[in-house]
Amino acid sequence: MASSVFCVRRALWQPSLGLCNTEACHFHASSACRAKEHYKALVLGGGSGGITMSARLKRKVGAENVAVVEPSESHYYQPLWTLVGAGAKSVSTSRRSTASVMPSGVKWIKSRVQEMNPDKNCVRTDDGKEISYEYLIVALGLQLHYEKIKGLPEGFKYPKIGSNYSVDTVGKTWKALQDFREGNAIFTFPNTPVKCAGAPQKIMYLSDAYFRKTGKRPKANIIYNTSQPVLFGVKKYADSLWNIVKTRDLNVNLRHNLIEVRADRQEAVFEKLDNPGETVVFEYEMLHVTPPMGPPDVLKSSKLADEGGWLDIDKDMLQHKKYPNVFGIGDCTNLPTSKTAAAVAAQSAILDRTISKVMKNEKPDKKYDGYTSCPLVTSYNTVILAEFDYTGQPLETFPIDQSKERRTMYHMKADVMPHLYWHGLLKGLWGGPGPYRKIMHLGMK
Ligand code: FAD
Ligand code: UQ1
């Protein structure tokens, strides 16, 4: 490992000569991995974190020196899917072509990364291409595992079941809501880390509101079956949510993990995590599934992963713990904070700074505080805006009590955030609300 560090330093001391020009260097990329393509900055994944970082790197090193590996033709603003599942937005408003969000001049490599070889500074794609790099930014997101629930994903071909977590199934949530007649409406939370940990219950509050609006509420028994021991991880917001759950007559079962869906019979099987071996079967008239999630396979099988399979980076600087020319952002990382686009925004500003420093062979100085945010949609016109840091302490932008349901925050979530995403975050111009927080709180205690 010492030789890798040595290499990075040499490359930094002699930027005009390109990467590692001595025989002593272990990762002279072009000879080591026979790559035909080489980039100063290679970004893996063209989702929220990948596009954001490619825009920032373009400003740093020039568009021609940056490439993004991303197989999908479409880029989605996933936070909108909560509202799509509830019929408040159309799925088409969440989509843009990958070509249109790729910063101009940046090379889009339309392939899937199949292997990462950080000892040789090179990756291999599914079409056999080898690409070498000087700096690698890993932004591969996470993988959904519907197949870990018995009966899925094939159960999605039946009605009454949907999932806001995939573009293929989010429309089925709205259909199930509209088709609901009488019975149990069940919402689940798996026994794994998830992205946007509030989303599994946001759709429950929206469903409750929809049933009330359409006169179906007296015929609906609304149930939230979560693997978690709590309703939400931060007490301030959990207290507000428990209040809502009580006043709206919603039933919460903690430590209930979905293990099987019998979609032909409209039955869902849960294991009780506190009583090993015990299962319970619920009939449903509507089922919203939040699938188990995990790190991407390609990452899990690489040297870049920690023991859990997530990208092993320093929680302050976002630099890989063993490979100093590798960095990470977003859902694929092992940062101990809640996985959201809001977190990606805050991380992008820090990572930008860290990479600048490393490129100049200086010590990174700015630290990521774990900032993340979850706009908890509690009806068709209210949101509780949860914002917090690594310590689980609220880190609120606005000088008001954000644990209260507010119409202004719904407007921010539904109408303002999409613009901030497409025109601010993805252009590398929005690094989270941190700088504005101080101004907002001026004069406050
Ligand atoms: P992604 O944006 O998922 O991007 C990963 C990219 O990697 C994808 O484009 C994928 O195609 C690509 N990829 C995967 N494998 C490979 C491979 N082998 N080779 C090359 N490319 C690959 N966040 C909020 O801040 N607020 C919210 O209200 C909110 N609500 C949400 C609601 C829902 C229903 C969902 C699903 C998410 C929500 N999020 C929310 C979370 C947010 O969308 C994610 O945290 C964010 O998109 C993470 O960005 P990322 O770049 O890490 O991953
Ligand atoms: C945010 O920065 C962000 O990324 C663009 C989101 O993702 C969609 C969010 O949901 C939120 C809440 C933030 C934080 C921004 C403000 C103004 C509080």
Side-chain angles (χ1 to χ4, degrees), residues 329-395:
I329 186 165
D331 296 352
C332 68
T333 66
N334 64 354
L335 297 172
T337 193
S338 184
K339 298 177 188 300
T340 64
V344 164
Q347 290 162 19
S348 70
I350 303 296
L351 188 48
D352 190 318
R353 175 87 173 183
T354 294
I355 294 175
S356 287
K357 288 286 186 183
V358 171
M359 282 179 170
K360 286 190 251 166
N361 205 16
E362 290 171 10
K363 201 167 171 278
D365 51 1
K366 278 245 159 93
K367 287 185 181 179
Y368 175 49
D369 57 10
Y371 173 83
T372 189
S373 170
C374 187
L376 294 154
V377 183
T378 54
S379 77
Y380 283 91
N381 55 17
T382 52
V383 156
I384 288 172
L385 183 61
E387 291 180 285
F388 49 98
D389 63 12
Y390 276 142
T391 65
Q393 289 307 306
L395 196 58

Side-chain angles (χ1 to χ4, degrees), residues 69 109 111-114 123-131:
V69 186
I109 299 168
S111 312
R112 177 170 286 277
V113 182
Q114 203 159 51
V123 306
R124 193 164 48 79
T125 59
D126 56 354
D127 45 7
K129 210 185 299 172
E130 301 212 320
I131 311 157

Side-chain angles (χ1 to χ4, degrees), residues 271-347:
E271 60 174 343
K272 289 190 174 181
L273 295 172
D274 287 337
N275 298 336
E278 194 182 330
T279 58
V280 51
V281 180
F282 288 73
E283 284 186 358
Y284 64 81
E285 167 68 1
M286 171 186 176
L287 177 66
H288 179 268
V289 178
T290 299
M293 301 177 204
D297 288 338
V298 64
L299 177 59
K300 222 165 36 178
S301 60
S302 83
K303 287 185 169 178
L304 295 174
D306 69 5
E307 61 288 352
W310 303 98
L311 187 76
D312 196 14
I313 58 173
D314 176 77
K315 74 190 244 298
D316 300 325
M317 308 304 181
L318 316 183
Q319 185 176 28
H320 196 272
K321 286 184 189 158
K322 295 193 196 102
Y323 296 92
N325 62 332
V326 177
F327 306 86
I329 186 165
D331 296 352
C332 68
T333 66
N334 64 354
L335 297 172
T337 193
S338 184
K339 298 177 188 300
T340 64
V344 164
Q347 290 162 19

Side-chain angles (χ1 to χ4, degrees), residues 22-178:
T22 70
E23 284 190 359
C25 176
H26 273 211
F27 61 75
H28 188 298
S30 50
S31 66
C33 80
R34 291 181 186 84
K36 291 207 178 77
E37 281 184 56
H38 175 83
Y39 295 92
K40 189 170 176 89
L42 182 64
V43 181
L44 306 184
S48 311
I51 295 297
T52 299
M53 286 316 296
S54 68
R56 286 176 179 266
L57 286 159
K58 171 181 167 176
R59 290 205 292 270
K60 219 181 282 302
V61 299
E64 70 283 8
N65 295 312
V66 182
V68 179
V69 186
E70 167 60 57
S72 175
E73 288 276 355
S74 298
H75 179 108
Y76 291 99
Y77 176 57
Q78 301 167 37
L80 215 61
W81 292 348
T82 290
L83 302 181
V84 174
K89 294 271 183 185
S90 71
V91 74
S92 61
T93 54
S94 72
R95 181 196 173 273
R96 293 209 177 165
S97 69
T98 297
S100 72
V101 296
M102 196 64 62
S104 66
V106 165
K107 171 81 175 173
W108 172 19
I109 299 168
K110 193 176 170 306
S111 312
R112 177 170 286 277
V113 182
Q114 203 159 51
E115 197 184 321
M116 295 186 278
N117 191 342
D119 292 316
K120 293 182 176 173
N121 293 302
C122 134
V123 306
R124 193 164 48 79
T125 59
D126 56 354
D127 45 7
K129 210 185 299 172
E130 301 212 320
I131 311 157
S132 60
Y133 58 81
E134 194 167 334
Y135 299 98
L136 183 72
I137 291 84
V138 185
L140 289 167
L142 54 65
Q143 211 167 306
L144 304 175
H145 288 293
Y146 288 105
E147 81 289 352
K148 288 195 175 163
I149 296 166
K150 195 173 167 199
L152 295 184
E154 60 278 12
F156 282 112
K157 63 178 188 279
Y158 290 88
K160 311 276 181 187
I161 170 172
S163 175
N164 290 355
Y165 274 83
S166 162
V167 69
D168 301 325
T169 52
V170 61
K172 294 205 73 215
T173 306
W174 176 223
K175 183 83 172 68
L177 259 179
Q178 290 171 293

Side-chain angles (χ1 to χ4, degrees), residues 77 79 341-342 345 371 373 375 385 387 397-398 412 417 425 430 433:
Y77 176 57
Y371 173 83
S373 170
L385 183 61
E387 291 180 285
T397 302
F398 303 100
M412 195 199 68
M417 273 308 143
L425 183 69
W430 172 250

Side-chain angles (χ1 to χ4, degrees), residues 82 164-165 186-190 194-209 222-226 228 230-234 237-245 248 250 252 254 288 290 374-379 384:
T82 290
N164 290 355
Y165 274 83
I186 304 177
F187 302 83
T188 73
F189 189 116
V194 299
K195 51 181 158 184
C196 196
Q201 62 186 290
K202 295 177 199 180
I203 187 61
M204 166 173 71
Y205 302 126
L206 284 160
S207 300
D208 170 67
I222 300 181
I223 302 167
Y224 186 60
N225 279 355
T226 172
Q228 301 292 298
V230 292
L231 187 51
F232 195 75
V234 179
Y237 308 114
D239 288 348
S240 300
L241 294 169
W242 276 117
N243 238 342
I244 292 172
V245 157
R248 294 186 201 160
L250 311 172
V252 176
L254 302 175
H288 179 268
T290 299
C374 187
L376 294 154
V377 183
T378 54
S379 77
I384 288 172

